[in-house]
Amino acid sequence: MTSSDVVILGGGPGGYAAAIRSAQLGLSVVLIDEAEIGGTCLHRGCIPTKALLHAAEIADAARTAAQFGVNATFDGVDPEKLYGFKNTVVSRLHKGLSGLIAALGITVVNGRGRLTGPTTVEVDGTTITGRSIVLATGSAPKVPGAIEMSDRVLTSDQALELNRIPESAIILGGGVIGVEFASLWASFGTKVTVVEALPRLVPNEDVAISTYLERLLRRRRITAKTGARVTAVKSDDEAVQVTLESGDVLNADVLLVAVGRAPRTVGLGLEEIGVTVDGGLVVTDDELRTSVPSVYAIGDIVGGLQLAHRAFQHGIFVAERIAGRDAELVADAGIPRVTYCHPEIASIGLTEEAAREQYGDGVETVTYDLAGNGRSQILKASGAVKLVVDPAGAVVGVHMIGAGVSELIGEAQLLYNLGVKAAEAARFVHAHPTQNEALGEALMAVSGAPLHLHG
């Protein structure tokens, strides 16, 4: 029997963050995972998709080089080198993470853990005990029961391992994963159709951002069918066929099922030891403690945003609490949200609709079009920055779409989480020429002193 202060099930962002911070605080740690440390984020999610999306940007740059007076041509994609680049990035980060974990003296156990008591976990017949147990088992792609997977019907896991670029693709789901794959495949020359059951793409974003995205995707010849439901999916060795409720029949090389992710909580022995689970999600209190006091749950298995950086925060918070330290969680509304399609989407806080529901008619908004931003003109980037301000003048929502806006969300999260008033923030200087100026222009505009506002 092995014993430690903390036993963690799952080596993804939440699990390894909890392990690292616990070890830094002097606690002994056992980290259990049936796959490689790093989880979905490092191996099948955040990092590999963004590596491919960067390659897609290179492809787009080659196509449009002549607009900038540069002679270049796009001659296609070498899938072997493309996926080799992606795998090299993942491998280097995995090596670095593994080295850090080893240097901190964290014990890593490869296998599937199952709780057998409030302080015990069984892995392949071996019992491991811990004063505290942290559940960080993450999530997996969700597949509707009526859809049968095949070589042509894929989840994001399989899509990241394709050895070819599909000539055509249907993507079921217009959320973050769906539009990211639509973007990268379109950049590589794939004819893409996105099918979304809800009335708009990226439905969790502000309506104005969804509208911008749909317009900009149309310019890239990506077809979006919103308010569309699938009634049948068939596939064979040659193609996949998708029938919609409207009667439309779509045909393509592949179908990507991107309708969300489901928590990995089945078979962990949770209910047997008294941990409350609701719809697959683990129920926790405000300190991420489950109904069993010695057991915590973090990341995607806890209701809310399914983001790696949310899991990081959860892992650090729980480690601090287990070590007896004061710690505070940032609420989901205060966590940055980014979709790495082209153009990028970045947002934080309340949408205009949610703000009006909470604060009433005193809410103010302003939208600054990137057409008025010098750096965006240089980059030939379209998009906008939208601010939502409450009746007291505080910034309660920032919503951005455009090239590179993921790099602007750092300032935006400070505005929101610190409750900064727009008029106070508007006096600070933003370097010129940067896209960051767009946020500064929006702050000036909503404070009644616009400088270069374009509606």
Side-chain angles (χ1 to χ4, degrees):
M1 178 183 292
T2 302
S3 63
S4 67
D5 294 320
V6 186
V7 177
I8 302 168
L9 273 72
Y16 76 69
I20 290 171
R21 183 52 55 89
S22 294
Q24 290 171 338
L25 295 174
L27 301 176
S28 58
V29 182
V30 173
L31 180 59
I32 303 167
D33 199 297
E34 59 185 333
E36 293 182 297
I37 298 299
T40 293
C41 176
L42 177 54
H43 299 283
R44 299 176 301 283
C46 314
I47 298 300
T49 54
K50 278 55 182 182
L52 294 179
L53 281 159
H54 176 64
E57 289 180 15
I58 302 300
D60 289 333
R63 282 195 186 89
T64 60
Q67 297 179 24
F68 303 92
V70 176
N71 295 325
T73 58
F74 175 72
D75 296 327
V77 177
D78 183 330
E80 184 176 350
K81 289 183 179 179
L82 174 69
Y83 288 101
F85 160 67
K86 179 261 293 183
N87 293 337
T88 297
V89 173
V90 171
S91 178
R92 285 175 178 168
L93 289 171
H94 178 250
K95 183 178 180 180
L97 176 61
S98 299
L100 176 59
I101 286 173
L104 288 168
I106 296 166
T107 300
V108 176
V109 176
N110 186 251
R112 182 172 177 79
R114 184 177 185 278
L115 276 67
T116 53
T119 58
T120 56
V121 177
E122 184 179 284
V123 183
D124 297 331
T126 300
T127 298
I128 300 171
T129 66
R131 179 167 55 87
S132 297
I133 294 174
V134 180
L135 305 173
T137 48
S139 61
K142 187 184 298 182
V143 179
I147 295 180
E148 184 177 344
M149 307 306 293
S150 71
D151 290 341
R152 293 186 179 275
V153 181
L154 318 170
T155 68
S156 56
D157 287 356
Q158 289 83 52
L160 285 169
E161 299 302 328
L162 278 180
N163 58 3
R164 61 190 176 88
I165 304 300
E167 290 187 14
S168 57
I170 301 165
I171 297 176
L172 180 55
V176 172
I177 296 172
V179 299
E180 287 187 351
F181 270 94
S183 184
L184 73 89
W185 273 340
S187 294
F188 293 147
T190 304
K191 181 181 178 182
V192 178
T193 301
V194 181
V195 178
E196 169 56 53
L198 294 176
R200 56 191 177 93
L201 299 182
V202 288
N204 293 327
E205 297 293 341
D206 191 272
V207 173
I209 298 301
S210 292
T211 302
Y212 262 97
L213 179 66
E214 290 172 11
R215 182 168 72 244
L216 294 173
L217 292 185
R218 279 197 299 272
R219 291 183 190 174
R220 300 186 60 199
R221 299 185 179 180
I222 296 172
T223 300
K225 292 182 176 292
T226 54
R229 295 187 176 276
V230 173
T231 58
V233 173
K234 297 179 181 178
S235 65
D236 55 30
D237 292 340
E238 301 298 324
V240 62
Q241 183 181 86
V242 175
T243 304
L244 305 182
E245 194 173 54
S246 63
D248 290 347
V249 178
L250 309 176
N251 294 281
D253 286 347
V254 297
L255 168 66
L256 173 65
V257 180
V259 295
R261 297 182 64 84
R264 293 178 181 268
T265 53
V266 175
L268 297 180
L270 303 184
E271 288 101 337
E272 289 88 335
I273 70 161
V275 173
T276 302
V277 179
D278 183 9
L281 294 167
V282 180
V283 177
T284 68
D285 62 15
D286 292 341
E287 295 193 348
L288 299 176
R289 196 187 297 263
T290 72
S291 50
V292 175
S294 57
V295 180
Y296 296 81
I298 63 176
D300 286 2
I301 63 173
V302 178
L305 297 173
Q306 293 182 322
L307 297 170
H309 43 285
R310 176 179 182 253
F312 284 139
Q313 181 200 203
H314 282 186
I316 294 168
F317 171 84
V318 163
E320 299 272 357
R321 296 301 296 149
I322 290 172
R325 294 194 171 197
D326 290 333
E328 186 175 342
L329 277 174
V330 174
D332 276 8
I335 295 175
R337 307 177 295 272
V338 180
T339 304
Y340 294 89
C341 52
H342 177 64
E344 291 181 345
I345 296 170
S347 61
I348 196 161
L350 304 177
T351 63
E352 179 180 351
E353 182 181 16
R356 294 195 185 282
E357 288 178 2
Q358 183 169 334
Y359 296 107
D361 293 335
V363 169
E364 292 186 59
T365 68
V366 67
T367 300
Y368 178 81
D369 197 297
L370 293 185
N373 177 260
R375 187 65 182 275
S376 297
Q377 286 290 311
I378 293 167
L379 297 174
K380 292 188 177 290
S382 299
V385 173
K386 178 176 180 179
L387 294 184
V388 183
V389 176
D390 72 9
V395 176
V396 295
V398 181
H399 309 277
M400 302 179 283
I401 182 169
V405 295
S406 60
E407 302 300 334
L408 309 186
I409 201 63
E411 178 181 350
Q413 75 160 325
L414 294 178
L415 295 174
Y416 175 80
N417 286 310
L418 296 178
V420 177
K421 291 189 176 181
E424 295 175 353
R427 67 187 179 89
F428 292 109
V429 178
H430 294 78
H432 176 77
T434 64
Q435 287 190 285
N436 194 221
E437 284 182 284
L439 184 53
E441 293 275 4
L443 287 165
M444 287 191 288
V446 81
S447 303
L451 188 61
H452 300 106
L453 183 64
H454 285 241

